[in-house]
């Protein structure tokens, strides 16, 4: 009788462990894909360059996330007033890759820093940029990070922040 | 009344008294203008002064002296609109003053504003039919000259703020 009781308890504990494992798997597990430079250049860089890379924010050498952009930080002084180069864009991707290595996309600093605290973000000196994960900027970066690019989101995000080259 | 104006200017610029100007970005630059709102044009004002936003406007990027009367229109992220006018040195500066209902122009490039500006800011400068829209937003830096350097464009700086393109 006692052996039966012990067996029942063991089975119960096993069931609890399985249930807990099941709970954990409900957390975001989107793995960070190998970051694709070509997609960054084509879709993501215009938005990030305009929104995040001004000289008074991430367009600063030495920042953990350092972003080169046409109007911000340049790799070489002679590039000033020239379009962003492929080399600078590639280095932007390298900076992102080194920011929070090994962390799943949804938990990555690149996505959580600009996200509103109420939506699961964390403190960001550059303010809470995205009110929710539905913001096109969030979807643009998230899509790129999990190798499911969202060109429409990137385009919409860029339209919100771009400033025309000349006033009429 | 000139003594009163002098006293008021001294009060406004009192925070700069005792400033050692030892920041490498200004240490080697001349202190022209004698402690008035026209001093140290083109230099990062907020290193010493408790202003919200401040800078210097030039007619052309190659000019050594700033331009007077340029309208600096600033719109913050909350939709506040603020317009300062540059003084004889090209300097303008915005100060937060509680108790005001709306922005209130002061003298010599000063604009008193009732709220802390909410970043990012969009900025446009105009004078006599010339107009320049800043092509990026300002996200946190109140001293224009931190990025718009007297030393000109480099990897992490751009030219002075100017109105007129030169060939």
């Amino acid at each position: 009788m006692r052996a039966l009781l012990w067996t029942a308890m063991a089975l119960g504990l096993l069931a609890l462990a399985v249930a807990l494992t099941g709970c954990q798997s409900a957390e975001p597990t989107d793995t960070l894909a190998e970051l694709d430079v070509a997609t960054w250049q084509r879709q993501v860089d215009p938005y990030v360059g305009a929104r995040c890379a001004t000289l008074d924010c991430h367009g600063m050498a030495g920042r953990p996330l350092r972003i080169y952009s046409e109007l911000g930080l340049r790799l070489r002084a002679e590039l000033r007033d020239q379009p962003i180069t492929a080399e600078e864009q590639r280095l932007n991707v390298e900076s992102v890759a080194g920011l929070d290595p090994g962390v799943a996309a949804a938990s990555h600093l690149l996505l959580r820093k600009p996200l509103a605290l109420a939506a699961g973000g964390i403190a960001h000196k550059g303010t809470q940029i995205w009110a929710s994960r539905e913001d096109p900027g969030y979807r643009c970066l998230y899509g790129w990070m999990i190798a499911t690019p969202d060109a429409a989101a990137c385009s919409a995000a860029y339209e919100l922040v771009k400033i025309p080259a000349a006033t009429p | 009344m000139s003594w009163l104006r002098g006293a008021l200017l001294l009060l406004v610029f009192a925070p700069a008294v005792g400033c050692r100007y030892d920041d490498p970005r200004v240490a080697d630059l001349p202190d022209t203008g004698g402690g008035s709102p026209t001093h140290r044009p083109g230099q990062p004002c907020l290193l010493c002064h408790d202003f919200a936003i401040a800078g210097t406007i030039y007619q052309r990027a190659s000019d050594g002296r700033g331009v007077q009367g340029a309208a600096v229109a600033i719109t913050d992220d909350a939709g506040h609109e603020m317009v300062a006018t540059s003084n004889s040195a090209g300097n303008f500066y915005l100060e937060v003053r509680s108790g005001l209902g709306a922005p209130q122009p002061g003298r010599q490039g000063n604009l008193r504003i009732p709220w802390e500006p909410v970043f990012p800011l969009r900025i446009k400068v105009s004078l006599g039919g010339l107009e320049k829209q800043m092509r990026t937003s300002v996200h946190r830096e109140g001293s224009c000259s931190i990025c718009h350097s007297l030393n000109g464009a480099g990897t992490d700086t751009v030219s002075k703020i100017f109105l007129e393109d030169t060939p």
Side-chain angles (χ1 to χ4, degrees), chain B residues 7-28:
Chain B
L8 284 171
L9 289 176
L10 187 64
L11 200 63
V12 166
F13 281 81
V17 177
C19 176
R20 291 161 49 219
Y21 302 112
D22 57 356
D23 187 287
R25 289 168 289 194
V26 294
D28 295 330

Side-chain angles (χ1 to χ4, degrees), chain A residues 51 54 56-57 74 80 161, chain B residues 122 139-141 154-155 157:
Chain A
R51 186 64 185 84
T54 54
D56 59 348
C57 278
R74 301 310 306 253
R80 178 65 59 208
V161 297
Chain B
R122 292 200 175 195
H139 286 261
R140 66 172 69 162
E141 180 56 63
T155 55
T157 54

Side-chain angles (χ1 to χ4, degrees), chain B residues 9-22 31 34-37 39-40 44-51 95:
Chain B
L9 289 176
L10 187 64
L11 200 63
V12 166
F13 281 81
V17 177
C19 176
R20 291 161 49 219
Y21 302 112
D22 57 356
D31 188 0
S36 76
H39 91 139
R40 291 188 176 256
C45 315
L46 273 65
L47 288 181
C48 294
H49 296 285
D50 187 23
F51 301 150
E95 295 176 287

Side-chain angles (χ1 to χ4, degrees), chain A residues 31-77:
Chain A
T31 5
L32 191 65
E34 187 171 337
L35 299 175
D36 178 45
V37 176
T39 304
W40 171 278
Q41 290 171 329
R42 209 171 44 252
Q43 298 178 9
V44 185
D45 195 79
Y47 168 62
V48 174
R51 186 64 185 84
C52 316
T54 54
L55 287 168
D56 59 348
C57 278
H58 290 283
M60 282 186 195
R63 295 292 301 269
L65 175 63
R66 184 270 308 121
I67 303 290
Y68 294 109
S69 65
E70 179 179 335
L71 300 171
L73 182 69
R74 301 310 306 253
L75 184 58
R76 291 180 292 278

